[in-house]
């Protein structure tokens, strides 16, 4: 398993700036070059060779192993990972993607798909043993690999066998031979000793001669041509044709040239013991990395230049991304630039420390200096501005302000701002209107000076609050294009327009925060740089927009603003941003400038083609060019896939995984050597939403069986999302996870649930049936108890009648009543144990009872019973003894109170198909009249017992028994009983 050592490169540049001194001599400036050393993750600072592989990785050969770099992390390899030796002096990539490592001990190895192959795990490499160091490598059109060595040995390997070539001629040996194949397929072997042509079997001397300075100063090109350096300069060779394309100073060629880079036969990047020289066809010579031994230079696929040196590696960005510095080595009075502007003539004015103002002439690039006499008051020139005409220049420090002519002469007449009572003041900021009114932001408040050209003074005692003075510590003042004054103080943002003060902070909480700078867009929108809340956009008394870190801003603490048409440039404590207000992705980051512009920018000026920044390192500037979001996209690569702790091959983009292999981890990176901020997004299935992350590793554990497609893309602040890379894999299911097994289990489970449900339901039904039977039994016992209670009541009434006949000495009637009573008692005993009886039995029982009552009352009482002919008296059932209490009550309380007695009619008929209607009709006094004349409430015991029986029956039966009692007009009562048909 390869041991991976990872480290991020440092942001520190102070030491770097002392090392990298380069210059465009006519302009006198330093070009910033990014440096990577052992502190940034390289295994050693002694670097010999750099290679960019087909994927885009940067490989570095050093005396402590090999590193692979993706722009963020160095991945280091050593003998612990399979290298035969830690001192690797050269790297090459063949067509199959193998990265060959050539070590100082002569042993060969290569890297492929995350593994280093050597003699132990690739037996064929045992053939590639040389007694010297491999100094050149070439792959011909037939796929043969050629190895030149520092001995009298040239070797050709076809992947299976090795052919060696030597020379017996001491003057023409194969030492440090370089192989070249021309466009006709001929193989040339070049060395400092001679030039040979290969005939398929051996090498033959030719009359052609080339004299390269060394094996390092020869370079094969993709179109089968060749460059080489000789004592005259750069030569181009195309087969037998050869020409000198660039003459080079002999002193440079004598300074131990290393591996070079040539382009278009018109420019050359030459490495020497004194640094790197960029030589152009027009004679321009630029020197980088002064006095630093450089071994090699390459250009990567983004046009950045890379240098291998004895002090690590360096990266010079492509021309559009290069950052330049002008400091005290090139004419500035000191390196701390506090402020800058460009005057109407195009000259840059720089406010520096120690009372110095430098003027950089646009035409000559020469610097002139204004040296202010009062060094204490003007120790730092923190702001410079011109008046509306451009003829005067205002400058200020914390404790003073002055005016001088924009036409700089040796005898400058400088006017200084005074407080008439010579009181001191602390100046934070100033602004000049189009009418040349001057307003100051002081620690004591905002002060207005209406005519600074004629009277550059103010009087503290004459402050008039709301007119020329606004109290409270102020931070920033700004005149907009309509000469409205905007200012920020400890309360927040306010506006003075036409003499009217509007306190905007009273309506908008965000406007109460500290505001460090104010600017105005062409459409009138006011832009505010806040101290911790990003950028605010204010228009028509409304906060219309806020831009923060969530939108891509480098930091929410914004220090300075500059408006260039519809672009807003903002300096934050973490770098510089350019904001395109009409763009879908408005915020752009200049991350390649972060080493210089992360937290040291004091001011800025943006020209049409150049952006200038006042920094503590000097004047920093770079090209003001738009970003191409499509070209800036980083390239995403998956470096390793681990499945259940075992690496998967990267040769394929689809895998079939065993059921238990449900843990998969992806290691990946985005190749980008300019931007530090990389955002990734991924998903496991096409069509799923994307998930964003900053991690460079994703682990998916306990995945469910199924088909997956891992997709990954990346973006920077200045780019669109890159084209996703994808890896498909199928996670097979265990047999118990297959559809047929699940179907069988579901079928068995369904059958089991069904059987259990049937059993449980049947048990519940049985229990319910038992409960109902028990309830019915209890209710029937209650009915029987009530019936038993009614029998003594009935017997009591009959005995009263017998007693009446005995008292009247009517023995015959008493005997008849006793006979009827005996029959009635026998019938009562017969039906009292039954809950329901037939109508026939009920009529028989009632007839016995009514006959006894008739004998008792004689002609005073009459009755009749009418049964509808459609009623089957034998089959129709009604509750037993339900009618007798009502009939008895009608006789005693309805008929007997009348002197003449009365009549009772019992009518039984069908109400409808569901109910039987039984009516007991009497012509007595009427129930309402009877209740009205009674002084005490009388409750019939028989009727109350009957009502309780009915209530019990209604609890059992589905259809209830319904009873209604009403008076028939002025007299008489009708009792209606609705009994459900049974």
């Amino acid at each position: 398993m390869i041991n991976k050592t990872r480290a991020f490169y440092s942001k520190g540049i102070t030491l770097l700036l002392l090392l990298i001194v380069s210059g465009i001599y006519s302009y006198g400036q330093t070009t910033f070059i990014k440096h990577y050393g052992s502190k940034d993750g390289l295994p050693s600072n002694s670097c010999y060779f750099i290679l960019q592989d087909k994927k885009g990785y940067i490989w570095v050969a050093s005396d402590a192993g090999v590193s692979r770099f993706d722009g963020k992390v160095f991945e280091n390899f050593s003998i612990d990972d399979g290298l035969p030796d830690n001192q690797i002096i050269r790297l090459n990539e063949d067509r199959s993607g193998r990265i060959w490592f050539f070590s100082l001990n002569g042993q060969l190895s290569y890297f492929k798909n995350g593994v280093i192959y050597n003699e132990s795990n690739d037996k064929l490499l045992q053939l590639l043993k040389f007694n010297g160091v491999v100094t050149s490598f070439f792959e011909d059109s037939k796929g043969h690999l050629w190895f030149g060595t520092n001995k009298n040995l040239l070797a050709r390997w076809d992947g299976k066998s090795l052919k060696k070539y030597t020379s017996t001629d001491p003057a023409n040996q194969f030492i440090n031979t370089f192989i070249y194949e021309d466009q006709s397929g001929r193989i040339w072997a070049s060395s400092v000793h001679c030039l040979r042509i290969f005939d398929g079997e051996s090498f033959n001397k030719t009359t052609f001669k080339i004299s390269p300075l060394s094996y390092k100063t020869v370079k094969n090109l993709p179109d089968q041509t060749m460059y080489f350096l000789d004592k005259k300069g750069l030569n181009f060779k195309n087969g037998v044709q050869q020409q000198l394309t660039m003459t080079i100073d002999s002193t440079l060629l004598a300074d131990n040239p290393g591996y070079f880079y040539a382009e278009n036969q018109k420019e050359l990047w030459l490495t020497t013991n004194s640094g790197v020289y960029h030589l152009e066809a027009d004679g321009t010579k630029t020197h980088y990395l002064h006095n630093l031994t450089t071994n090699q230079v390459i250009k990567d696929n983004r046009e950045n230049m890379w240098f291998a040196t004895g002090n690590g590696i360096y990266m010079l960005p492509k021309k559009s991304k290069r950052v330049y510095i002008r400091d005290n080595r090139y004419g500035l009075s000191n390196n701390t630039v506090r402020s800058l502007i460009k005057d109407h003539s195009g000259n840059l004015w720089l406010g520096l420390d120690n009372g110095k103002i430098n003027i950089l002439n646009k035409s000559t690039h020469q610097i002139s200096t204004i040296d202010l006499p009062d060094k204490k008051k003007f120790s730092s020139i923190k702001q410079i501005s011109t008046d509306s005409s451009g003829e005067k220049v205002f400058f200020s420090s914390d404790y003073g302000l002055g005016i001088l002519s924009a036409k700089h002469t040796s005898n400058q007449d400088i006017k200084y701002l005074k407080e008439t009572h010579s009181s001191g003041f602390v100046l934070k900021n100033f602004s000049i209107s189009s009418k040349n009114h001057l307003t100051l932001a002081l620690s004591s408040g905002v002060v207005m000076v209406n005519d600074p050209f004629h009277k550059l003074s103010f009087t503290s005692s004459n402050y008039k609050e709301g007119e020329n003075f606004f109290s409270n510590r102020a931070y920033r003042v700004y005149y907009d294009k309509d000469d409205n004054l905007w200012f920020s103080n400890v309360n927040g943002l306010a506006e003075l327009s036409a003499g009217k003060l509007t306190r905007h902070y009273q309506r908008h909480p965000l406007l109460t925060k500290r505001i460090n700078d104010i600017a105005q867009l062409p459409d009138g929108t006011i832009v505010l740089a806040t101290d911790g809340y990003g950028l605010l956009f204010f228009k028509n008394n409304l906060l219309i927009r806020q831009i923060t870190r969530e939108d891509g801003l480098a930091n929410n603490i914004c220090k300075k603003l500059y408006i260039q048409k519809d672009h807003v440039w903002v300096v934050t404590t973490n770098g510089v941003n350019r904001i395109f207000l009409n763009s879908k992705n408005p915020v752009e980051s200049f991350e390649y400038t972060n080493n210089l512009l992360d937290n040291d920018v004091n001011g800025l000026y943006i020209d049409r083609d150049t952006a200038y920044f006042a920094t503590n390192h000097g004047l920093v500037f770079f090209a003001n060019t738009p970003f191409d979001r499509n070209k800036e996209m980083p390239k995403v690569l998956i470096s390793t896939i681990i499945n259940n702790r075992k690496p998967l091959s990267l040769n394929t983009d689809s895998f079939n995984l065993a059921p238990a292999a449900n843990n998969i981890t992806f290691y990946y990176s985005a190749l980008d050597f300019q931007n530090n901020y990389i955002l990734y997004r991924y998903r496991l299935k096409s069509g799923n939403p994307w998930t964003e992350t900053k991690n460079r590793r994703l682990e998916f554990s306990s995945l469910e069986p199924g088909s997956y497609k891992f997709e990954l893309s990346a973006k920077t602040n200045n780019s669109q999302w890159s084209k996703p890379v994808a890896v498909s894999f199928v996670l097979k299911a265990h047999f118990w996870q297959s559809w047929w097994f699940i179907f069988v289990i579901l079928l068995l489970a369904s059958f089991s649930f069904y059987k259990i449900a049937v059993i449980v339901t049947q048990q519940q039904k049985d229990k319910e049936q038992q409960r109902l039977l028990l309830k019915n039994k209890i209710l029937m016992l209650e009915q029987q108890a009530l019936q038993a209670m009614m029998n003594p009541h009935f017997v009591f009434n009959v005995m009263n009648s017998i007693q009446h006949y005995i008292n009247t000495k009517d023995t015959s009637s008493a005997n008849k009543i006793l006979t009827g009573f005996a029959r009635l008692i026998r019938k009562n005993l017969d039906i009292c144990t039954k809950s329901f009886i037939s109508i026939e039995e009920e009529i028989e029982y009632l007839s016995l009872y009514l006959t006894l009552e008739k004998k008792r009352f004689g002609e005073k009482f009459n009755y009749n019973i009418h049964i509808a002919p459609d009623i089957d008296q034998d089959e129709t059932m009604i509750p037993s003894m339900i009618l007798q209490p009502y009939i008895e009550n009608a006789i005693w309380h309805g008929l007997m109170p009348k002197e003449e007695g009365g009549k009772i009619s019992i009518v039984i008929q069908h109400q409808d198909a569901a109910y039987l209607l039984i009516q007991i009709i009497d012509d007595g006094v009427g129930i309402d009249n009877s209740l009205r004349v009674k002084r005490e409430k009388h409750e019939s015991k028989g009727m109350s017992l009957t009502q309780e029986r009915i209530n019990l029956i209604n609890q059992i039966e589905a259809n209830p028994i319904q009873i209604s009692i009403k008076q028939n007009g002025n007299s008489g009562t009708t009792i209606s009983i609705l009994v459900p048909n049974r």
Side-chain angles (χ1 to χ4, degrees), residues 442-446 465 469-476 487-495 501-515 528 533 536:
L442 305 180
S443 60
S444 58
V446 175
E465 181 71 37
F469 178 74
F470 301 93
S471 59
N472 291 316
R473 174 185 289 270
Y475 302 121
R476 186 72 171 88
F487 62 88
S488 66
N489 57 24
V490 292
N491 294 323
L493 181 69
E495 177 191 4
L501 182 66
T502 304
R503 297 176 176 86
H504 294 295
Y505 60 83
Q506 293 179 343
R507 296 180 55 191
H508 303 281
L510 277 176
L511 299 184
T512 64
K513 311 304 179 183
R514 175 163 176 166
I515 296 170
L528 307 171
Y533 298 88
L536 303 178

Side-chain angles (χ1 to χ4, degrees), residues 112-127:
K112 189 172 184 180
N113 296 329
V115 178
I116 292 179
Y117 293 90
N118 52 37
E119 293 180 5
S120 63
N121 54 6
D122 187 347
K123 301 302 180 182
L124 290 176
L125 287 178
Q126 294 180 357
L127 297 174

Side-chain angles (χ1 to χ4, degrees), residues 5-9 37-43 67 74-76:
T5 305
R6 301 183 176 196
F8 291 96
Y9 69 84
S38 57
K39 292 183 179 180
D40 307 305
L42 276 173
S67 289
F74 286 96
E75 186 178 5
N76 296 330

Side-chain angles (χ1 to χ4, degrees), residues 345-633:
S345 300
N347 301 317
L348 282 178
W349 290 65
L350 312 179
L352 290 81
D353 279 356
N354 199 27
K356 304 284 187 180
I357 298 176
N358 286 165
I359 305 170
L360 179 60
N361 187 280
K362 179 180 86 170
S363 302
T364 64
H365 299 282
Q366 298 299 313
I367 292 177
S368 56
T369 302
I370 298 174
D371 194 355
L372 302 176
D374 193 341
K375 305 297 183 185
K376 184 176 181 181
K377 179 177 288 189
F378 293 96
S379 58
S380 293
I381 310 301
K382 291 190 173 181
Q383 186 179 354
I384 299 181
S385 183
T386 63
D387 68 350
S388 58
S389 65
E391 296 180 357
K392 298 292 183 181
V393 175
F394 289 71
F395 61 91
S396 70
S397 68
D398 285 336
Y399 307 107
L401 180 144
I403 305 176
L404 52 79
S405 172
K407 296 179 180 179
H408 174 57
T409 62
S410 57
N411 298 318
Q412 274 281 11
D413 181 19
I414 304 176
K415 295 181 179 180
Y416 296 99
L417 175 66
K418 296 179 181 180
E419 200 283 327
T420 55
H421 297 306
S422 300
S423 298
F425 57 87
V426 178
L427 179 60
K428 300 295 183 181
N429 179 251
F430 69 86
S431 183
I432 307 165
S433 73
S434 62
K435 298 177 182 178
N436 291 327
H437 293 166
L438 173 66
T439 298
L440 313 173
L442 305 180
S443 60
S444 58
V446 175
V447 175
M448 304 176 70
V449 180
N450 291 329
D451 191 6
F453 292 145
H454 296 93
K455 187 179 180 181
L456 188 58
S457 65
F458 65 95
T459 305
S460 300
S461 59
N462 291 337
Y463 287 161
K464 292 182 180 180
E465 181 71 37
E467 292 186 12
N468 63 355
F469 178 74
F470 301 93
S471 59
N472 291 316
R473 174 185 289 270
Y475 302 121
R476 186 72 171 88
V477 290
Y478 176 76
Y479 278 105
D480 65 18
K481 61 183 180 181
D482 297 321
D483 279 347
N484 299 317
L485 176 64
W486 299 76
F487 62 88
S488 66
N489 57 24
V490 292
N491 294 323
L493 181 69
E495 177 191 4
L496 181 65
S497 177
K500 179 182 177 182
L501 182 66
T502 304
R503 297 176 176 86
H504 294 295
Y505 60 83
Q506 293 179 343
R507 296 180 55 191
H508 303 281
L510 277 176
L511 299 184
T512 64
K513 311 304 179 183
R514 175 163 176 166
I515 296 170
N516 293 324
D517 204 359
I518 305 172
Q520 187 178 34
L521 294 173
D523 67 356
T525 301
I526 296 296
V527 186
L528 307 171
T530 71
D531 200 68
Y533 298 88
L535 292 182
L536 303 178
F537 295 81
F538 189 72
K539 186 177 183 180
N540 298 328
N541 294 322
L542 296 174
L543 272 175
I544 61 174
R545 192 174 187 180
Q546 182 181 15
I547 294 179
T548 64
R549 290 187 66 175
E550 293 183 358
D551 305 299
L553 207 61
N555 196 286
N556 286 336
I557 301 177
C558 303
K559 296 161 56 178
K560 296 288 183 179
L561 294 172
Y562 192 89
I563 306 297
Q564 185 193 35
K565 296 183 179 179
D566 59 345
H567 302 165
V568 178
W569 289 73
V570 56
V571 175
T572 76
T573 55
N574 279 0
V576 176
N577 293 114
R578 178 172 57 189
I579 299 170
F580 282 65
L581 297 176
N582 300 322
S583 173
K584 183 179 179 181
N585 304 104
V587 181
E588 293 183 335
S589 297
F590 296 83
E591 290 195 39
Y592 60 90
T593 71
N594 279 358
N595 297 72
L596 293 173
L597 303 180
D598 56 352
N599 196 22
D600 291 313
V601 180
N602 304 311
L604 72 163
Y605 180 87
I606 311 301
D607 224 343
R608 183 179 63 180
D609 54 2
T610 308
Y612 298 94
F613 298 90
T615 79
N616 295 338
H617 309 294
L619 178 65
V620 175
F621 54 99
F622 54 83
N624 178 16
T625 55
F627 291 109
D628 187 331
R629 290 187 177 272
N630 293 320
K631 290 184 178 180
E632 295 289 332
M633 292 186 297

Side-chain angles (χ1 to χ4, degrees), residues 815-883:
N815 288 332
K816 290 180 180 180
I817 288 178
L818 283 172
T819 302
F821 177 66
R823 292 176 61 196
L824 184 60
I825 289 299
R826 187 165 52 250
K827 190 65 177 177
N828 193 344
L829 291 173
D830 184 37
I831 68 174
C832 70
T833 58
K834 299 179 180 179
S835 295
F836 290 86
I837 60 175
S838 66
I839 289 179
E840 183 179 16
E841 289 179 292
E842 181 68 22
I843 295 303
E844 182 182 357
Y845 173 72
L846 290 177
S847 296
L848 288 173
Y849 168 69
L850 291 171
T851 300
L852 288 176
E853 295 290 26
K854 174 66 177 173
K855 288 180 179 180
R856 179 179 179 184
F857 297 111
E859 293 303 323
K860 193 177 180 179
F861 169 64
N862 292 299
Y863 70 90
N864 65 62
I865 299 173
H866 175 74
I867 301 172
D870 60 342
I871 295 175
D872 188 340
Q873 298 182 30
D874 187 44
E875 295 295 331
T876 304
M877 309 296 286
I878 63 173
S880 63
M881 295 184 70
I882 194 173
L883 302 180

